[in-house]
Coordinates of all heavy atoms in Angstrom, one line a residue:
S29 N 169.1 127.5 136.0 CA 168.5 128.7 135.4 C 167.9 129.6 136.6 O 167.8 129.0 137.7 CB 167.5 128.4 134.4 OG 166.3 128.3 134.8
D30 N 167.4 130.8 136.2 CA 166.9 131.7 137.2 C 165.6 131.1 137.8 O 165.3 131.3 139.0 CB 166.4 133.0 136.6 CG 167.7 133.8 136.2 OD1 168.8 133.5 136.7 OD2 167.7 134.7 135.3
L31 N 164.8 130.3 137.0 CA 163.5 129.8 137.4 C 163.8 128.8 138.6 O 163.1 128.8 139.6 CB 162.8 129.1 136.4 CG 161.5 128.4 136.6 CD1 160.6 129.5 137.3 CD2 160.9 127.8 135.5
N32 N 164.9 127.9 138.5 CA 165.2 127.0 139.5 C 165.6 127.6 140.9 O 165.2 127.1 141.9 CB 166.3 126.1 139.1 CG 165.9 125.1 138.0 OD1 164.7 124.7 137.9 ND2 166.9 124.7 137.2
E33 N 166.2 128.8 140.7 CA 166.5 129.6 142.0 C 165.3 130.1 142.6 O 165.1 130.2 143.8 CB 167.4 130.6 141.6 CG 168.9 130.2 141.2 CD 169.8 131.3 140.7 OE1 169.4 132.5 141.0 OE2 170.7 131.1 140.1
V34 N 164.4 130.6 141.8 CA 163.1 131.2 142.4 C 162.3 130.1 143.0 O 161.6 130.3 144.0 CB 162.3 132.0 141.3 CG1 161.0 132.4 141.7 CG2 163.2 133.2 140.8
I35 N 162.2 128.9 142.3 CA 161.2 127.8 142.9 C 161.7 127.4 144.3 O 160.9 127.1 145.0 CB 161.3 126.7 141.9 CG1 160.6 126.9 140.6 CG2 160.8 125.4 142.5 CD1 160.6 126.0 139.5
N36 N 163.0 127.5 144.5 CA 163.5 127.1 145.8 C 163.5 128.1 147.0 O 163.8 127.8 148.1 CB 164.9 126.5 145.7 CG 165.0 125.3 144.8 OD1 164.1 124.5 144.9 ND2 166.0 125.2 144.0
V37 N 162.9 129.3 146.7 CA 162.8 130.3 147.6 C 161.7 130.0 148.6 O 160.6 129.7 148.2 CB 162.7 131.7 147.1 CG1 162.3 132.8 148.2 CG2 163.9 132.1 146.3
K38 N 162.0 129.9 149.9 CA 160.9 129.5 150.8 C 160.0 130.7 151.0 O 160.3 131.8 151.0 CB 161.5 129.2 152.2 CG 162.2 127.9 152.2 CD 162.8 127.5 153.6 CE 163.6 126.2 153.5 NZ 164.2 125.8 154.8
G39 N 158.8 130.4 151.2 CA 157.7 131.4 151.4 C 157.0 131.9 150.2 O 156.2 132.8 150.3
L40 N 157.4 131.5 149.1 CA 156.7 131.9 147.8 C 155.6 131.1 147.4 O 155.6 129.8 147.5 CB 157.7 131.9 146.6 CG 158.7 133.0 146.5 CD1 159.5 132.9 145.2 CD2 158.3 134.4 146.5
T41 N 154.5 131.7 147.1 CA 153.3 131.1 146.6 C 153.0 131.7 145.2 O 153.2 132.9 145.1 CB 152.1 131.2 147.5 OG1 151.8 132.5 147.7 CG2 152.4 130.4 148.8
W42 N 152.5 130.9 144.3 CA 152.3 131.4 142.9 C 150.8 131.4 142.6 O 150.1 130.6 143.1 CB 153.1 130.4 141.9 CG 154.5 130.4 142.1 CD1 155.2 129.7 142.9 CD2 155.4 131.4 141.5 NE1 156.5 130.0 142.8 CE2 156.7 131.1 142.0 CE3 155.3 132.5 140.7 CZ2 157.8 131.8 141.6 CZ3 156.4 133.2 140.3 CH2 157.6 132.7 140.8
R43 N 150.5 132.4 141.8 CA 149.1 132.6 141.3 C 149.0 133.3 140.0 O 150.0 134.0 139.7 CB 148.3 133.3 142.5 CG 148.8 134.7 142.7 CD 148.0 135.4 143.8 NE 148.4 136.8 144.0 CZ 148.3 137.8 143.2 NH1 147.5 137.7 142.2 NH2 148.8 139.0 143.5
L44 N 147.8 133.4 139.5 CA 147.6 134.2 138.3 C 147.1 135.6 138.8 O 146.4 135.7 139.7 CB 146.5 133.6 137.4 CG 146.7 132.3 136.6 CD1 145.5 132.0 135.9 CD2 147.9 132.6 135.7
P45 N 147.7 136.7 138.2 CA 147.2 138.0 138.5 C 145.8 138.2 138.1 O 145.3 137.6 137.0 CB 148.1 138.8 137.8 CG 148.7 138.1 136.6 CD 148.7 136.6 137.0
S46 N 145.0 139.1 138.7 CA 143.7 139.4 138.3 C 143.8 140.5 137.1 O 144.8 141.1 136.8 CB 143.0 140.1 139.5 OG 143.5 141.4 139.7
I47 N 142.6 140.7 136.5 CA 142.7 141.6 135.3 C 143.0 143.1 135.8 O 143.6 143.8 135.1 CB 141.4 141.6 134.5 CG1 141.5 142.2 133.1 CG2 140.2 142.2 135.2 CD1 142.6 141.5 132.2
N48 N 142.5 143.3 137.0 CA 142.9 144.7 137.6 C 144.4 144.9 137.9 O 144.9 145.9 137.7 CB 142.0 144.9 138.9 CG 140.6 145.2 138.6 OD1 140.3 145.7 137.6 ND2 139.8 144.8 139.5
E49 N 145.1 143.7 138.3 CA 146.5 143.8 138.5 C 147.2 143.9 137.1 O 148.1 144.7 137.0 CB 147.0 142.5 139.2 CG 146.6 142.5 140.6 CD 146.8 141.2 141.2 OE1 146.6 140.1 140.7 OE2 147.5 141.2 142.4
F50 N 146.7 143.3 136.1 CA 147.2 143.5 134.7 C 147.1 145.0 134.3 O 148.0 145.6 133.7 CB 146.5 142.6 133.8 CG 147.3 141.2 133.5 CD1 146.6 140.1 133.7 CD2 148.5 141.2 133.1 CE1 147.2 138.9 133.5 CE2 149.3 140.0 133.0 CZ 148.6 138.8 133.2
K51 N 145.9 145.5 134.6 CA 145.6 146.9 134.2 C 146.6 147.8 134.9 O 147.1 148.8 134.3 CB 144.2 147.2 134.6 CG 143.5 148.5 134.0 CD 142.1 148.7 134.4 CE 141.3 147.6 133.9 NZ 139.8 147.8 134.2
K52 N 146.8 147.7 136.2 CA 147.7 148.5 136.9 C 149.2 148.3 136.4 O 149.9 149.2 136.3 CB 147.7 148.2 138.4 CG 148.5 149.0 139.3 CD 148.3 148.7 140.8 CE 149.0 149.6 141.6 NZ 148.9 149.3 143.1
A53 N 149.6 147.0 136.2 CA 150.9 146.7 135.7 C 151.1 147.5 134.3 O 152.2 147.9 134.0 CB 151.1 145.3 135.6
N54 N 150.1 147.4 133.5 CA 150.2 148.0 132.2 C 150.3 149.5 132.3 O 151.2 150.0 131.6 CB 148.9 147.7 131.4 CG 149.0 148.1 129.9 OD1 150.0 147.8 129.2 ND2 148.0 148.9 129.5
N55 N 149.7 150.1 133.2 CA 149.8 151.6 133.4 C 151.3 151.9 134.0 O 151.7 153.1 133.8 CB 148.7 152.1 134.5 CG 147.4 152.1 133.8 OD1 147.2 152.1 132.6 ND2 146.4 152.0 134.7
N56 N 151.9 150.9 134.6 CA 153.2 151.1 135.2 C 154.3 150.6 134.3 O 155.5 150.5 134.8 CB 153.3 150.4 136.6 CG 152.5 151.3 137.5 OD1 152.6 152.4 137.7 ND2 151.6 150.6 138.3
G57 N 154.0 150.1 133.1 CA 155.0 149.8 132.1 C 155.4 148.4 132.0 O 156.5 148.1 131.6
I58 N 154.4 147.4 132.4 CA 154.9 146.0 132.2 C 155.4 145.6 130.9 O 156.3 144.8 130.8 CB 153.8 145.1 132.8 CG1 154.3 143.7 133.0 CG2 152.5 145.2 131.9 CD1 153.2 142.7 133.5
R59 N 154.8 146.1 129.9 CA 155.0 145.7 128.5 C 156.4 146.0 128.1 O 157.0 145.3 127.2 CB 154.0 146.2 127.5 CG 152.6 145.6 127.7 CD 151.6 146.1 126.8 NE 151.2 147.5 126.9 CZ 151.3 148.4 126.0 NH1 151.7 148.1 124.8 NH2 151.0 149.7 126.3
S60 N 157.1 147.1 128.6 CA 158.4 147.4 128.3 C 159.4 146.8 129.3 O 160.6 146.7 129.0 CB 158.6 148.9 128.2 OG 158.3 149.5 129.4
A61 N 159.0 146.3 130.5 CA 159.8 145.8 131.5 C 160.1 144.3 131.4 O 161.1 143.8 131.7 CB 159.3 146.2 132.9
L62 N 159.0 143.6 131.0 CA 159.1 142.1 130.9 C 159.4 141.6 129.5 O 158.8 142.2 128.5 CB 158.0 141.5 131.5 CG 157.7 141.7 133.0 CD1 156.5 141.0 133.4 CD2 158.9 141.2 133.7
P63 N 160.1 140.5 129.3 CA 160.3 140.0 128.0 C 159.1 139.2 127.4 O 158.3 138.7 128.3 CB 161.5 139.0 128.1 CG 161.5 138.7 129.6 CD 160.9 139.8 130.3
N64 N 159.0 138.9 126.1 CA 158.0 138.0 125.6 C 156.5 138.4 126.0 O 155.7 137.5 126.3 CB 158.2 136.6 126.0 CG 159.7 136.1 125.6 OD1 160.1 136.4 124.5 ND2 160.3 135.4 126.4
M65 N 156.2 139.7 125.8 CA 154.9 140.1 126.1 C 154.0 140.3 124.9 O 153.2 141.1 124.7 CB 155.0 141.5 126.8 CG 155.5 141.4 128.2 SD 154.6 140.5 129.4 CE 153.2 141.5 129.5
F66 N 154.2 139.3 123.9 CA 153.5 139.3 122.6 C 152.3 138.4 122.6 O 151.7 138.3 121.6 CB 154.5 138.9 121.5 CG 155.7 139.8 121.4 CD1 156.9 139.4 121.8 CD2 155.6 141.2 121.1 CE1 158.0 140.2 121.8 CE2 156.6 142.0 121.0 CZ 157.9 141.4 121.4
Y67 N 151.9 137.9 123.8 CA 150.9 136.8 123.8 C 149.7 137.2 124.6 O 149.7 138.2 125.4 CB 151.5 135.5 124.4 CG 152.7 135.1 123.7 CD1 154.0 135.4 124.1 CD2 152.6 134.5 122.5 CE1 155.1 135.0 123.6 CE2 153.8 134.1 121.8 CZ 155.0 134.3 122.4 OH 156.2 134.0 121.6
W68 N 148.6 136.5 124.3 CA 147.5 136.6 125.3 C 147.7 135.9 126.6 O 148.3 134.8 126.5 CB 146.2 136.0 124.7 CG 145.5 136.9 123.7 CD1 145.5 136.8 122.3 CD2 144.7 138.0 124.0 NE1 144.7 137.8 121.8 CE2 144.2 138.6 122.8 CE3 144.2 138.5 125.2 CZ2 143.3 139.6 122.7 CZ3 143.4 139.7 125.1 CH2 143.0 140.2 123.9
L69 N 147.5 136.5 127.7 CA 147.8 135.9 129.0 C 146.5 135.9 129.8 O 145.8 136.9 130.0 CB 148.8 136.9 129.8 CG 150.1 137.0 129.0 CD1 150.9 138.1 129.7 CD2 150.9 135.7 129.0
W70 N 146.1 134.7 130.3 CA 145.0 134.6 131.2 C 145.1 135.3 132.5 O 146.3 135.3 132.9 CB 144.7 133.1 131.5 CG 144.1 132.3 130.4 CD1 144.6 131.2 129.8 CD2 142.8 132.5 129.8 NE1 143.8 130.7 128.8 CE2 142.7 131.5 128.8 CE3 141.8 133.5 129.9 CZ2 141.6 131.5 128.0 CZ3 140.7 133.3 129.1 CH2 140.6 132.3 128.2
S71 N 144.0 135.8 133.0 CA 144.0 136.4 134.4 C 143.2 135.5 135.3 O 142.6 134.5 134.7 CB 143.4 137.8 134.4 OG 141.9 137.7 134.3
S72 N 143.2 135.7 136.5 CA 142.4 135.0 137.4 C 141.0 135.4 137.5 O 140.1 134.8 138.2 CB 143.0 135.0 138.8 OG 143.0 136.3 139.4
S73 N 140.6 136.6 136.8 CA 139.3 137.1 136.9 C 138.3 136.4 135.9 O 138.5 136.2 134.8 CB 139.4 138.6 136.5 OG 140.3 139.3 137.3
L74 N 137.2 136.0 136.6 CA 136.2 135.3 135.8 C 135.3 136.3 135.0 O 135.2 137.5 135.3 CB 135.2 134.6 136.8 CG 135.8 133.4 137.6 CD1 134.8 132.8 138.6 CD2 136.4 132.5 136.7
G75 N 134.8 135.8 133.9 CA 134.1 136.7 133.0 C 132.8 137.2 133.6 O 132.2 136.6 134.5
Q76 N 132.4 138.4 133.2 CA 131.1 139.0 133.6 C 129.9 138.4 132.9 O 128.9 138.2 133.5 CB 131.2 140.5 133.4 CG 132.1 141.2 134.3 CD 132.3 142.7 134.0 OE1 132.1 143.1 132.8 NE2 132.5 143.5 135.0
D77 N 130.1 138.1 131.6 CA 129.0 137.7 130.8 C 128.6 136.2 131.2 O 127.4 135.8 131.2 CB 129.3 137.7 129.3 CG 129.5 139.1 128.8 OD1 128.9 140.1 129.4 OD2 130.2 139.3 127.8
N78 N 129.6 135.4 131.4 CA 129.4 134.0 131.8 C 130.6 133.5 132.7 O 131.5 133.0 132.2 CB 129.3 133.1 130.5 CG 128.9 131.8 131.0 OD1 129.0 131.3 132.1 ND2 128.5 131.0 130.0
P79 N 130.5 133.7 134.0 CA 131.6 133.4 134.9 C 131.9 131.9 135.0 O 133.1 131.5 135.4 CB 131.1 133.9 136.3 CG 129.6 134.1 136.2 CD 129.4 134.3 134.7
Y80 N 131.0 131.0 134.5 CA 131.3 129.6 134.5 C 132.2 129.2 133.4 O 132.8 128.1 133.5 CB 129.9 128.8 134.5 CG 129.1 129.2 135.6 CD1 128.1 130.0 135.5 CD2 129.5 128.6 136.9 CE1 127.3 130.3 136.7 CE2 128.7 128.9 138.1 CZ 127.6 129.8 137.9 OH 126.8 130.1 139.0
S81 N 132.2 129.9 132.3 CA 133.0 129.5 131.1 C 134.0 130.5 130.6 O 134.8 130.2 129.8 CB 132.2 129.0 130.0 OG 131.2 130.0 129.6
N82 N 133.8 131.8 131.0 CA 134.7 132.8 130.5 C 135.6 133.4 131.5 O 135.4 133.3 132.8 CB 133.8 133.9 130.0 CG 133.0 133.6 128.8 OD1 133.1 132.6 128.2 ND2 132.2 134.6 128.3
A83 N 136.7 134.0 131.1 CA 137.7 134.7 132.0 C 138.2 135.9 131.2 O 138.2 135.9 129.9 CB 138.8 133.8 132.4
W84 N 138.9 136.8 131.9 CA 139.5 137.9 131.4 C 140.9 137.5 130.9 O 141.6 136.8 131.6 CB 139.4 139.1 132.3 CG 138.1 139.8 132.2 CD1 137.1 139.5 133.2 CD2 137.7 140.8 131.5 NE1 136.0 140.2 132.8 CE2 136.4 141.2 131.8 CE3 138.2 141.5 130.4 CZ2 135.6 142.2 131.2 CZ3 137.6 142.6 129.9 CH2 136.3 142.9 130.2
A85 N 141.3 138.2 129.9 CA 142.7 138.0 129.3 C 143.3 139.3 129.0 O 142.6 140.3 128.7 CB 142.7 137.0 128.1
F86 N 144.7 139.3 129.0 CA 145.4 140.6 128.7 C 146.3 140.3 127.5 O 146.9 139.3 127.5 CB 146.2 140.9 129.9 CG 147.3 142.0 129.7 CD1 146.8 143.3 129.9 CD2 148.6 141.7 129.6 CE1 147.8 144.4 129.7 CE2 149.5 142.7 129.5 CZ 149.1 144.1 129.5
L87 N 146.4 141.2 126.6 CA 147.2 141.0 125.4 C 148.5 141.9 125.6 O 148.5 143.1 125.6 CB 146.5 141.5 124.2 CG 147.3 141.4 122.9 CD1 147.9 140.0 122.6 CD2 146.5 141.8 121.6
G88 N 149.5 141.2 125.9 CA 150.9 141.9 126.2 C 151.3 142.7 125.1 O 152.1 143.6 125.5
Y89 N 151.1 142.4 124.0 CA 151.6 143.2 122.8 C 151.1 144.8 122.9 O 151.9 145.6 122.7 CB 151.1 142.6 121.5 CG 151.5 143.5 120.3 CD1 152.8 143.5 119.9 CD2 150.5 144.3 119.6 CE1 153.2 144.2 118.8 CE2 150.9 144.9 118.5 CZ 152.2 145.0 118.1 OH 152.6 145.7 117.0
N90 N 149.8 145.0 123.3 CA 149.3 146.4 123.3 C 148.5 146.8 124.5 O 148.0 147.8 124.6 CB 148.5 146.6 121.9 CG 147.3 145.8 121.9 OD1 146.9 145.0 122.8 ND2 146.6 145.8 120.7
G91 N 148.3 145.8 125.5 CA 147.6 146.1 126.7 C 146.1 146.0 126.5 O 145.4 146.3 127.5
F92 N 145.6 145.4 125.5 CA 144.2 145.2 125.3 C 143.7 144.1 126.3 O 144.4 143.1 126.5 CB 143.9 144.8 123.8 CG 142.5 144.5 123.5 CD1 141.6 145.7 123.4 CD2 141.9 143.4 123.3 CE1 140.2 145.4 123.1 CE2 140.6 143.1 123.0 CZ 139.8 144.2 122.9
M93 N 142.5 144.3 126.8 CA 142.0 143.4 127.7 C 140.5 143.0 127.3 O 139.7 143.9 126.9 CB 141.9 143.9 129.2 CG 143.3 144.1 129.8 SD 143.2 145.1 131.2 CE 144.1 146.6 130.7
N94 N 140.2 141.6 127.3 CA 138.8 141.3 127.0 C 138.5 140.0 127.6 O 139.3 139.2 128.1 CB 138.8 141.1 125.4 CG 137.4 141.3 124.9 OD1 136.5 141.5 125.6 ND2 137.3 141.1 123.5
E95 N 137.2 139.7 127.6 CA 136.7 138.4 128.1 C 136.5 137.3 127.1 O 136.1 137.6 126.0 CB 135.3 138.7 128.7 CG 134.6 137.6 129.4 CD 133.2 138.0 130.0 OE1 133.1 139.2 130.4 OE2 132.4 137.1 129.9
Y96 N 137.1 136.1 127.3 CA 137.1 135.0 126.4 C 136.7 133.7 127.0 O 136.8 133.5 128.2 CB 138.5 134.9 125.8 CG 138.9 136.0 124.9 CD1 139.8 137.1 125.4 CD2 138.4 136.1 123.6 CE1 140.1 138.1 124.6 CE2 138.9 137.1 122.8 CZ 139.7 138.1 123.3 OH 140.0 139.1 122.5
Y97 N 136.3 132.8 126.1 CA 135.9 131.5 126.5 C 137.2 130.7 127.0 O 138.2 130.9 126.3 CB 135.3 130.7 125.4 CG 135.0 129.3 125.7 CD1 134.1 128.9 126.6 CD2 135.6 128.3 125.1 CE1 133.8 127.5 126.9 CE2 135.5 126.9 125.3 CZ 134.5 126.5 126.2 OH 134.4 125.3 126.5
R98 N 137.2 130.1 128.1 CA 138.4 129.5 128.6 C 138.3 128.0 128.6 O 138.6 127.2 129.4 CB 138.6 129.9 130.2 CG 137.4 129.5 131.0 CD 137.7 130.2 132.4 NE 136.5 130.1 133.3 CZ 136.4 129.4 134.4 NH1 137.4 128.7 134.8 NH2 135.2 129.3 135.0
G99 N 138.0 127.5 127.4 CA 138.0 126.1 127.0 C 139.4 125.4 126.8 O 140.4 126.1 126.8
N100 N 139.3 124.1 126.8 CA 140.6 123.4 126.6 C 141.3 123.7 125.3 O 142.5 123.3 125.3 CB 140.3 121.9 126.7 CG 139.8 121.5 128.1 OD1 140.1 122.1 129.1 ND2 139.1 120.4 128.2
D101 N 140.7 124.2 124.3 CA 141.3 124.4 123.0 C 142.0 125.8 123.0 O 142.4 126.2 121.9 CB 140.4 124.3 121.9 CG 139.1 125.2 122.0 OD1 138.8 125.8 123.1 OD2 138.4 125.3 121.0
S102 N 141.9 126.5 124.1 CA 142.5 127.9 124.1 C 144.0 127.8 124.0 O 144.7 127.0 124.4 CB 142.1 128.6 125.4 OG 143.0 129.8 125.5
S103 N 144.6 128.7 123.1 CA 146.0 128.8 123.0 C 146.7 130.0 123.9 O 147.7 130.3 123.6 CB 146.4 129.0 121.5 OG 145.8 130.2 121.1
F104 N 145.9 130.5 124.8 CA 146.4 131.6 125.5 C 147.4 131.1 126.6 O 147.4 129.9 126.9 CB 145.3 132.2 126.4 CG 144.3 133.1 125.5 CD1 144.4 133.1 124.1 CD2 143.3 133.8 126.1 CE1 143.5 133.8 123.4 CE2 142.5 134.6 125.4 CZ 142.6 134.6 124.1
S105 N 148.3 132.0 127.0 CA 149.4 131.5 128.0 C 149.1 132.1 129.3 O 148.1 132.8 129.6 CB 150.7 132.1 127.5 OG 151.1 131.7 126.2
V106 N 149.9 131.7 130.3 CA 149.8 132.3 131.7 C 151.2 132.8 132.0 O 152.2 132.5 131.5 CB 149.4 131.1 132.7 CG1 147.9 130.8 132.3 CG2 150.3 130.0 132.8
R107 N 151.2 133.8 132.9 CA 152.3 134.3 133.5 C 152.0 134.6 135.0 O 151.1 135.5 135.3 CB 152.7 135.7 132.9 CG 153.9 136.3 133.5 CD 154.6 137.3 132.7 NE 155.4 136.6 131.7 CZ 156.2 137.3 130.9 NH1 156.3 138.7 130.8 NH2 157.1 136.6 130.0
C108 N 152.6 133.8 135.8 CA 152.2 133.7 137.2 C 153.1 134.9 137.9 O 154.1 135.3 137.5 CB 152.6 132.4 137.9 SG 151.5 131.0 137.3
V109 N 152.4 135.2 139.1 CA 153.1 136.2 140.0 C 153.3 135.5 141.3 O 152.6 134.6 141.7 CB 152.3 137.5 140.1 CG1 152.3 138.3 138.8 CG2 151.0 137.3 140.7
A110 N 154.3 135.9 142.0 CA 154.6 135.3 143.3 C 154.2 136.2 144.5 O 154.4 137.4 144.5 CB 156.2 135.0 143.4
N111 N 153.8 135.6 145.5 CA 153.5 136.2 146.8 C 154.5 135.8 147.8 O 154.8 134.6 147.8 CB 152.1 136.0 147.3 CG 151.1 136.6 146.5 OD1 151.2 137.6 145.8 ND2 149.8 136.1 146.5
F112 N 155.1 136.7 148.5 CA 156.1 136.2 149.5 C 155.4 136.3 151.0 O 154.8 137.3 151.2 CB 157.3 137.1 149.5 CG 158.3 136.6 150.5 CD1 159.2 135.6 150.2 CD2 158.5 137.2 151.7 CE1 160.1 135.1 151.1 CE2 159.5 136.9 152.6 CZ 160.3 135.8 152.3
R113 N 155.5 135.1 151.6 CA 154.9 135.2 153.0 C 156.0 134.8 154.0 O 156.8 133.8 153.8 CB 153.9 134.1 153.1 CG 152.6 134.4 152.3 CD 151.6 133.3 152.5 NE 150.6 133.5 151.4 CZ 149.6 132.8 151.4 NH1 149.3 131.9 152.2 NH2 148.7 132.9 150.4
D114 N 156.2 135.7 155.0 CA 157.2 135.4 156.0 C 156.8 134.2 156.8 O 155.6 134.0 157.1 CB 157.3 136.6 156.9 CG 158.0 137.9 156.3 OD1 158.8 137.6 155.4 OD2 157.6 138.9 156.7
E115 N 157.8 133.3 157.1 CA 157.5 132.2 157.9 C 157.3 132.6 159.4 O 158.0 133.4 159.9 CB 158.6 131.2 157.8 CG 158.7 130.6 156.4 CD 159.7 129.4 156.4 OE1 159.9 128.8 157.3 OE2 160.2 129.3 155.2
V116 N 156.3 132.1 160.0 CA 156.0 132.4 161.4 C 156.6 131.4 162.3 O 156.8 130.2 162.1 CB 154.5 132.4 161.6 CG1 154.1 132.7 163.1 CG2 153.9 133.3 160.6

């Protein structure tokens, strides 16, 4: 599958996007460009109210963003982004 091809590309590192990256991607049309954007997606941004237990999430359905408890019982999903680094 496509995922197996991407995993084997040298120089890629994977991470969660920040809430600001989700905001920018939303302004640039991520919800119409990517499939399966109907879910809550965790960001790497810690919450402002309680950074020890909360994080920001993005709702792919409508672009809504909010801070939520990031406990083990959460049903939110993740969508990673890749960074490419040239080998030195």
Side-chain angles (χ1 to χ4, degrees):
S29 92
D30 294 339
L31 181 58
N32 289 332
E33 292 174 15
V34 172
I35 289 173
N36 294 322
V37 174
K38 291 183 181 180
L40 285 184
T41 57
W42 295 93
R43 63 178 179 80
L44 290 178
S46 70
I47 199 65
N48 288 331
E49 289 172 313
F50 270 124
K51 198 177 297 185
K52 184 175 182 180
N54 188 50
N55 291 339
N56 288 307
I58 189 175
R59 291 184 290 124
S60 60
L62 293 179
N64 301 318
M65 292 296 292
F66 303 106
Y67 306 100
W68 278 103
L69 302 168
W70 284 119
S71 78
S72 63
S73 301
L74 298 178
Q76 293 173 328
D77 294 337
N78 187 345
Y80 298 103
S81 63
N82 292 359
W84 281 88
F86 172 80
L87 181 54
Y89 175 73
N90 62 7
F92 182 74
M93 292 167 243
N94 205 1
E95 183 177 324
Y96 290 98
Y97 174 69
R98 55 187 171 117
N100 292 336
D101 59 346
S102 170
S103 62
F104 291 6
S105 300
V106 295
R107 181 162 273 186
C108 294
V109 295
N111 289 337
F112 184 77
R113 296 184 192 181
D114 291 327
E115 292 186 30
V116 179

